[in-house]
Every structure is written in C-alpha cells, then in structure tokens.
Amino acid sequence: MRARGPVRFPQHVDNMDADHLSLTERAIIDTAISLTSGRDVQELCGSVLDAVERMYDARSSWILLQQDGSGELITAACRGPGASAYADAHVPPDAGLVGIVFAQGEPLFVPDVLAEDRWYDAERVRRAMLKTVLLIPLRCGNTLIGVLGLDSAQFSSASPPGAAALARLQGIAAQAAVAISNARLVDSIEQDRLRLRRLLQERRQLRQEVVHLRDTMRESQAHSAAVGESAEWRAALEQVQLVAPADSTVLLIGETGTGKELVAHAIHEQSRRRRHPFIAVNCAAFPESLVESELFGHERGAFTGAFERKAGKFELADRGTLFLDEIGELPAGVQAKLLRVLQEREVTRIGGAKPIAVNVRLVAATNRDLQEALRTGSFRQDLYYRLSVFPVTLPPLRQRADDIPLLARYFVQRFAERQGRPRPQLTAAAIGALQDYQWPGNVRELQNVLERAVILARSGQITPAELALDGAAGSPQNAEQAAPRAPLASEPTTASEPTTHVVSFTEAERRAIRKALEMTGWRISGRGGAADALGLKPTTLHAKMKRLGVHRPTAADAADTAPS
C-alpha cells in the first residue's frame, strides 16, 4: 500500500527490529554514525575498535597512526590482552610487517604469529601471545595515515579472512581514515587559533611595554634635559624648543660629555617625527673603511665580507631623525657623499646602482672647532654650511656651576633607584667639591663620579671621600697646570682672558688627552683609565689619538728630549 503521508523512521539502529539487520550490518551502521559524529581522535579510534570486536570477535585490536613530526607509527588506541604488543609502540614507517603494510598500502594476514620473524620487535610480539594478526592500512584518499591491526578468533590458518570480510574491514578503515584526518585537521586549526591568540596577546603586551618604555625614556630624557637653571643652559634649551618643530638640520656644538645626544633626543621627541626611528651614529667609532657602509649600506658581494645586503643608517632612519655624533671625524670621501645625500635626499648603497629615496632629518654634533677644521682643509666648507643651518652651542659644565647641585641630586636619585638602595645624601662639603672641580668630561664625567659614589656610600652620605676627586686632572689644585682651552667658534670670550695664552682648540684637545694619559699611566680603557677621566668612549679616544698624533713616548723619544 502506498504511503499517503510522511513516514517516521527510528533514529538509532538500536530501535530497529533485529530480524531486519544482521549483527555485522548493525555494527557497520553504528560505526559509520559514530565516525561521522566524533571529533576526537581517541574517541574515533575507540569506535573503530568497538566495531572490530563486535564484527569479528577480536581478542585484541590496535591502531597505529603516523606522526607529522617524526614520521613514526605511534599507538593511538589498543584493546585486549594481546594488544600489549603495540601498547605505547613507536614503529618506524619502513620497519617490520607494520611498515610493510604501511609502505605498500595492502592488507596482510599472518596465520601464525610465532612462526613469523619479520616483526619490528619480535620478542615483544611473542610475549603478547598473539595467535593470528590481520593488518589493514588506513588510507585517506591517496595518503596513508596509519595501520589497523586485530587478532580474531574467526581467522586461522585453516580459515583465513575472505573477500567479504576484507571488504568490510577496508570499508571501515576508509571511513576511519577520513574521520581521523578530519579530526586531526580540526585539532590543528584549533591549535593554530590558540597559538595565534597567544601571539596576538603577546604582541599587545609587547606593544604596551614598548609604549611604556618609550614614554619612560621620553620622560627621563625630558627630565634630564630640563635639569638646570643656569642662564646658559636655559638659553640653549630655548634654542632647542624653537628649532625642534621646524624640521631643519641642527648642528650641536659642545665639548665631550655636555649632553649632545640627549639634546638630539629632545629635538626628535619634540618634532613631528617622534613616532618614527631615532638612529644615533658615532662617526669616530668606525674605521674609515666601514663608515660609508654603516651610513649608506651595501649590496651583497659589494666587497670582501659583504655576505648579504645591508641597509644603512639613513635607510633605517627613514621618516625619523639621524643623529651623527662627532661629525668632524668623517673622512673626506664620506663628507662628499654625505653632502650629496643631503642635497638629493637619496642614498646609493655600496655596490648598488639604484638610488633609494630617504626622508631623514639630520642632527649633527661636534666637539671640534669646525672653523679651525675649515681653515686646515680637513672639513668641507660646503658641508659645513649645509649642516650649520641652525647651530646650538651647549655650555660646558664648568660654566654651569649653579646647576651642579641640581644635576648631582638628580643623578644620585636615579642611580640609587637603579641599584635598589636608599638614596644617600650629598653633604655640603661634597657639593662644594663638585662645584670646585673643573669637569673636563662635563656631565658624563659627573654621572660616572656619582654612580661610583652611590656604590661607595655606606653611611647614607656622600662625602668628598666617596667622590675621589683629589688629584684628578680637573681638580682645583691642578687647575693651574691644566692646558688652557680655546673657546668654541660660537662661544663668547671675555676681556679678562689673556690672549697671549690662547691656543687652538686642536692643540688644547691634544694637551688634555696627553695629560689624562700621563696621569693614568697611558691606560686608555677601564674604570680610572684616560677615557673614563675624559668622559669618552675608548674607541673615541683611540680615534682622537690617531687624528691628533698622540702616542706613548718610546725610549728613543725620551733620549731626544733629554737635556744635553
């Protein structure tokens, strides 16, 4: 009779009449349903082994799946006493009978386990007391993902598995392979999502830390630059505030240690480029052969040792600020190329043919008298005019005696916080000693002296003993012996200065370096060395000694200078 309306069917095989379906058919249907609904690999493997037990009265059964990283076949699930042969197994994909089935992609029946000697771990298999073994490859499309194995009471040497049994097992294995592959894919996607979520969280945290560090650095630099009430320092800061938003090239003039890089940072942070890079380069820190590569970059193979392409500092500072410290130390050839970059607003890497446009604001600094360098021909006149669009002179610390107590307390507080100890108090005698000292290394030397004093201060106070200024090159008792310093080009002179004793800036610098070297026994680096006393980096002092012709006297030199 034809049905006249919708016909409802049972949703589960269990509700069907047992007469309509055989045990095997019910097992196959149950397995198909479980494989399409499960998402966990362990759960799917368990469903397959359940079906094998029901359909073929399996005494033992197991599934080995290949791992993506190692390629080994590793046990994913096992059932029954004999399954101990493959419990926690790690089988190479080309070893033993399992490897043969996996490599060839064809089922294999072993009627007598004890008589077979091709097992990967034969002793382990024999101890498991397996009788017969049927191995079925798990194939998803053209990809093999593992092997299904079982020891069934229905199979023996006299009654091997027939074509129908193999067809059913291969059908279940194919469904299982697809379901397991899908579950693995879903798990991989979920793991990728979790990793991506962690990476995004870490990125947000890093971004917050960068913003915090940048703000902290800005506050520290702004506070450091603001320390000082002297008229000379305030005048310099007013010039900085005027030029910072203008995007013009700035030339900072001042002795070593007067805070030129700090002021360059302040110019950058008060400009429209503050969200872009600030790149600092010490022109005296690189050998002449490497300065051009550092500034303009090079192509791979441009010279010996150029194993890969390298972007220069101009490219790295694009849209930001490039600070060239000790600009007066640049070789003549690099000066010419720097002038071209400033004029054309583009750089060409060493070994490159294509110019690269750059948008960089340049802040240069020097502790040399560039006017003297112009007269001697060691510095290009056209480059000087290009750099000195807006010169700013930073006063030496000896002209800021009123600022020394403020700077000293600021540095003591900062070093005490950095070292995690209570801030020691500066005694009146210590303040007086600091103000009387000549400070050839300027603010940088003051920092070094106070950092050492904070470490040495055990009684909660800093006295002249902790400062250890006695006998230093710039101490009051040695001031009369110190070489007179020629004023910088933009530094005012006073009528009281005897002109008969004025020497060139180069000569004054040579004398100061030689004096510091003699007092330190010609030790350049390390605490208490000449570089430390002068407030210079050892590499900078080496470059200056080479340029000024300062070298340690030899026995022959001593004989030449001995009175006859």
Side-chain angles (χ1 to χ4, degrees):
M1 184 180 221
R2 183 176 296 178
R4 297 181 178 272
V7 178
R8 293 183 178 275
F9 293 98
Q11 295 181 354
H12 300 289
V13 178
D14 292 340
N15 296 330
M16 294 183 180
D17 189 345
D19 296 335
H20 292 81
L21 293 173
S22 66
L23 181 63
T24 300
E25 291 172 328
R26 291 189 57 177
I28 292 175
I29 294 174
D30 287 343
T31 304
I33 293 173
S34 64
L35 291 177
T36 56
S37 61
R39 289 191 176 184
D40 180 77
V41 173
Q42 296 295 327
E43 179 184 347
L44 293 170
C45 291
S47 298
V48 174
L49 298 186
D50 286 341
V52 168
E53 288 180 0
R54 291 172 60 187
M55 292 170 61
Y56 297 102
D57 191 22
R59 294 184 289 256
S60 303
S61 57
W62 55 90
I63 292 178
L64 283 75
L65 299 177
Q66 188 178 39
Q67 300 302 304
D68 292 335
S70 64
E72 291 182 319
L73 296 166
I74 299 178
T75 305
C78 57
R79 298 275 181 84
S84 59
Y86 289 101
D88 300 322
H90 289 67
V91 180
D94 56 353
L97 293 179
V98 171
I100 292 175
V101 171
F102 183 78
Q104 297 180 356
E106 298 293 337
L108 178 68
F109 177 63
V110 180
D112 187 351
V113 171
L114 297 179
E116 179 61 62
D117 58 358
R118 290 179 294 172
W119 301 107
Y120 171 65
D121 190 346
E123 184 60 29
R124 186 176 182 181
V125 173
R126 292 189 181 97
R127 287 199 306 268
M129 301 301 291
L130 294 172
K131 299 185 181 305
T132 64
V133 168
L134 177 61
L135 299 172
I136 307 292
L138 298 175
R139 184 193 302 273
C140 179
N142 294 325
T143 304
L144 289 163
I145 68 168
V147 174
L148 165 65
L150 67 148
D151 176 10
S152 171
Q154 295 184 11
F155 306 137
S156 65
S157 57
S159 178
L166 283 176
R168 295 189 192 97
L169 282 170
Q170 286 178 309
I172 292 175
Q175 287 182 309
V178 172
I180 291 171
S181 296
N182 290 338
R184 282 180 157 184
L185 180 61
V186 170
D187 183 65
S188 176
I189 293 173
E190 186 62 28
Q191 293 298 322
D192 288 342
R193 287 179 58 189
L194 292 175
R195 281 194 294 269
L196 179 59
R197 189 176 301 169
R198 286 195 297 269
L199 288 173
L200 291 175
Q201 180 64 26
E202 291 174 2
R203 182 181 177 184
R204 283 193 292 268
Q205 292 176 352
L206 287 174
R207 186 178 296 170
Q208 292 172 357
E209 291 176 8
V210 168
V211 171
H212 174 70
L213 290 173
R214 183 182 297 165
D215 291 343
T216 302
M217 184 179 69
R218 287 175 178 171
E219 291 175 4
S220 175
Q221 291 168 349
H223 189 54
S224 299
V227 174
E229 298 293 339
S230 64
E232 295 84 356
W233 186 243
R234 286 298 170 189
L237 292 185
E238 288 177 4
Q239 296 293 302
V240 169
Q241 292 172 353
L242 285 173
V243 74
D247 212 36
S248 301
T249 302
V250 180
L251 177 62
L252 302 176
I253 304 169
E255 297 178 13
T256 296
T258 50
K260 295 186 289 294
E261 185 169 352
L262 183 69
V263 172
H265 264 290
I267 292 173
H268 174 73
E269 293 299 334
Q270 295 178 47
S271 71
R272 292 171 293 177
R273 299 174 180 264
R274 61 183 174 273
R275 297 190 180 278
H276 299 290
F278 175 89
I279 305 295
V281 180
N282 188 328
C283 299
F286 298 101
E288 183 174 343
S289 58
L290 294 181
V291 173
E292 185 177 351
S293 172
E294 287 295 322
L295 291 179
F296 311 127
H298 63 254
E299 296 290 344
R300 180 180 179 181
F303 51 83
T304 303
F307 299 113
E308 59 184 12
R309 174 185 294 176
K310 178 182 177 181
K313 295 298 190 286
F314 269 93
E315 290 181 68
L316 296 177
D318 190 40
R319 296 190 297 168
T321 302
L322 179 62
F323 173 56
L324 296 182
D325 197 7
E326 301 194 44
I327 190 75
E329 309 296 333
L330 280 179
V334 180
Q335 290 181 31
K337 293 188 177 182
L338 175 60
L339 178 64
R340 182 180 180 279
V341 171
L342 296 178
Q343 291 173 340
E344 305 296 333
R345 297 290 179 178
E346 60 185 22
V347 298
T348 302
R349 298 186 185 129
I350 299 175
K354 182 179 179 182
I356 302 169
V358 290
N359 176 13
V360 174
R361 181 185 191 174
L362 187 65
V363 178
T366 182
N367 58 11
R368 294 182 60 189
D369 184 354
L370 290 186
Q371 294 290 349
E372 176 67 18
L374 292 176
R375 285 192 292 271
T376 61
S378 61
F379 200 82
R380 294 179 62 99
Q381 190 175 44
D382 46 4
L383 178 60
Y384 173 76
Y385 291 134
R386 177 69 66 172
L387 294 174
S388 60
V389 174
F390 197 96
V392 177
T393 300
L394 303 182
L397 190 56
R398 59 182 169 274
Q399 293 181 6
R400 302 171 54 195
D402 293 341
D403 290 340
I404 290 178
L406 297 174
L407 287 165
R409 295 187 181 97
Y410 168 74
F411 288 133
V412 167
Q413 174 70 34
R414 193 172 76 176
F415 293 138
E417 291 176 353
R418 185 183 298 174
Q419 297 173 21
R421 58 194 304 174
R423 182 185 68 178
Q425 297 298 317
L426 284 158
T427 64
I431 293 292
L434 292 173
Q435 289 182 303
D436 290 340
Y437 186 67
Q438 295 301 300
W439 298 110
N442 292 293
V443 179
R444 185 181 294 125
E445 185 183 5
L446 175 64
Q447 286 181 278
N448 294 339
V449 167
L450 291 173
E451 183 174 8
R452 181 172 62 246
V454 170
I455 296 173
L456 295 174
R458 300 296 183 185
S459 62
Q461 287 186 330
I462 295 177
T463 67
E466 283 77 33
L467 297 176
L469 296 176
D470 293 341
S475 60
Q477 54 266 43
N478 291 325
E480 294 180 0
Q481 302 174 8
R485 183 188 63 84
L488 295 170
S490 57
E491 186 176 306
T493 59
T494 61
S496 61
E497 292 178 342
T499 57
T500 57
H501 294 290
V502 173
V503 296
S504 69
F505 188 92
T506 301
E507 180 60 29
E509 191 175 22
R510 183 184 292 109
R511 292 182 186 180
I513 290 174
R514 184 177 292 278
K515 182 70 174 178
L517 289 167
E518 290 173 352
M519 294 184 61
T520 58
W522 289 84
R523 184 162 63 90
I524 294 176
S525 59
R527 186 171 293 277
D532 187 32
L534 292 171
L536 296 173
K537 296 178 181 177
T539 53
T540 303
L541 181 55
H542 273 292
K544 287 182 177 294
M545 290 171 61
K546 181 179 179 181
R547 176 176 58 82
L548 298 172
V550 177
H551 60 86
R552 187 168 189 167
T554 62
D557 296 332
D560 291 340
T561 57
S564 58

